[in-house]
Amino acid sequence: MKNIKRLLSLLMVFVLSFALIACNSAPKEGTEEQGNTTEQQDQKKEAKELTISAAASLTEALDEISAELEKDENIKLVPNYGSSGALQKQIEEGAPADAFISAGQKQMDALEEKNLIVKDSRLDLLKNKLVLIVPKDNKDGIKTINDVVDKNLQIALAETETVPVGQYSKEALTNLGLWDKIKTENIIQSKDVSEVLKHVDDGNVAAGIVYSSDVFRAKNSEQVQVFDESLHKPIVYPAAIIESSKEKETAKIFLDYLKTDKSKTILEKYGFIIFE
């Protein structure tokens, strides 16, 4: 009987000792260890924001890349989509931007000449093709741009002076000998390639000229012709860090991320051609 009581007493001492050790080892409220853990969690939640000015044709692809970038690098993109010419002008006028992705070399060249991009940060990122699209019902039976001209039909074109796709379009039509044959009233000028796509998707025009990548985001349009690349300057998308950016290191991480296999897969899914 005495042995049993002694065994029970030892067991109770062991249990109490174990409980005390466990309590002492756990971080108490307000302790430095718990504070460090909370601080680390807060830092992980607070993603660095990066303002990106990018060509409208990149909208869907870059939105998807943005979600992956935030998960992988804890960087949140604040995109500003538009025509490359308009974005160039905004940057020249001091609008906040950490990086710029243009749909044309001309716009990036202008910024580089004015020392508005970081030296040696520029890279040729993507290539694209110029195509003719029509509404899916194609009630006018359009097969080529010649049908649009011969039948005196309306066509949506991006603004031809400052918007890259508009410049490529005019150049291709001029080299085909068709530019002067299109009546002014038949050209529906659009602010960027997304607006051209919308005009065709909505059935407001018989046709439109966009990039081949835009066909992947079309809702009610289809491609009927690819313009030969010899008809216009090469369609190249350059990217660079803006000189006035206060987040140059983060912008560099972003540009490097665009060259990863994950980003390339997304860009190719939306019809872009990776610049090798």
Side-chain angles (χ1 to χ4, degrees), residues 8-237:
L8 288 173
S9 297
L10 289 172
L11 184 61
M12 287 182 68
V13 170
F14 175 78
V15 170
L16 288 171
S17 300
F18 181 80
L20 285 171
I21 292 170
C23 288
N24 289 331
S25 62
K28 294 187 175 75
E29 186 176 355
T31 62
E32 183 179 351
E33 185 176 347
Q34 186 183 44
N36 290 339
T37 302
T38 304
E39 185 179 347
Q40 289 171 356
Q41 290 174 343
D42 289 341
Q43 288 176 348
K44 188 175 182 180
K45 290 177 183 177
E46 292 175 6
K48 288 187 177 180
E49 289 193 350
L50 204 64
T51 302
I52 306 299
S53 290
S57 52
L58 282 163
T59 301
E60 287 77 8
L62 205 52
D63 280 349
E64 191 168 325
I65 289 174
S66 177
E68 296 299 320
L69 179 70
E70 190 165 359
K71 287 190 296 184
D72 294 344
E73 299 290 346
N74 204 32
I75 297 172
K76 182 178 180 180
L77 295 187
V78 180
N80 175 29
Y81 298 118
S83 72
S84 299
L87 297 174
Q88 170 205 333
K89 187 174 181 181
Q90 289 173 14
I91 293 169
E92 289 174 340
E93 293 176 350
D98 296 304
F100 176 41
I101 307 177
S102 173
Q105 300 275 31
K106 180 179 178 181
Q107 290 71 26
M108 193 67 80
D109 289 343
L111 295 181
E112 188 168 18
E113 287 171 7
K114 296 178 181 179
N115 298 315
L116 293 177
I117 63 173
V118 174
K119 186 178 180 181
D120 298 329
S121 72
R122 179 172 175 171
L123 62 95
D124 289 332
L125 185 66
L126 304 167
K127 294 190 288 185
N128 221 326
K129 294 181 180 180
L130 198 66
V131 301
L132 181 72
I133 60 171
V134 300
K136 285 184 178 179
D137 59 14
N138 196 9
K139 60 184 180 182
D140 295 301
I142 298 170
K143 294 181 180 179
T144 69
I145 186 63
N146 296 79
D147 294 327
V148 178
V149 178
D150 293 343
K151 295 180 181 183
N152 199 29
L153 300 170
Q154 285 192 320
I155 183 170
L157 299 176
E159 204 279 320
T160 57
E161 294 303 314
T162 60
V163 183
V165 69
Q167 295 169 335
Y168 298 132
S169 300
K170 182 178 179 179
E171 187 180 5
L173 293 172
T174 300
N175 287 328
L176 286 170
L178 298 175
W179 179 252
D180 292 332
K181 295 181 181 180
I182 302 175
K183 293 181 180 180
T184 304
E185 59 267 28
N186 281 341
I187 297 177
I188 307 303
Q189 291 272 3
S190 305
K191 66 178 181 180
D192 57 34
V193 72
S194 292
E195 190 168 279
V196 174
L197 181 61
K198 189 175 189 307
H199 278 309
V200 183
D201 268 345
D202 292 346
N204 297 331
V205 293
I209 298 180
V210 298
Y211 296 124
S212 60
S213 59
D214 294 304
V215 178
F216 288 78
R217 59 193 187 114
K219 296 177 181 177
N220 192 37
S221 306
E222 62 183 5
Q223 174 183 311
V224 291
Q225 180 184 5
V226 179
F227 291 91
D228 192 285
E229 293 181 4
S230 64
L231 295 170
H232 55 78
K233 291 183 178 66
I235 301 174
V236 176
Y237 285 59

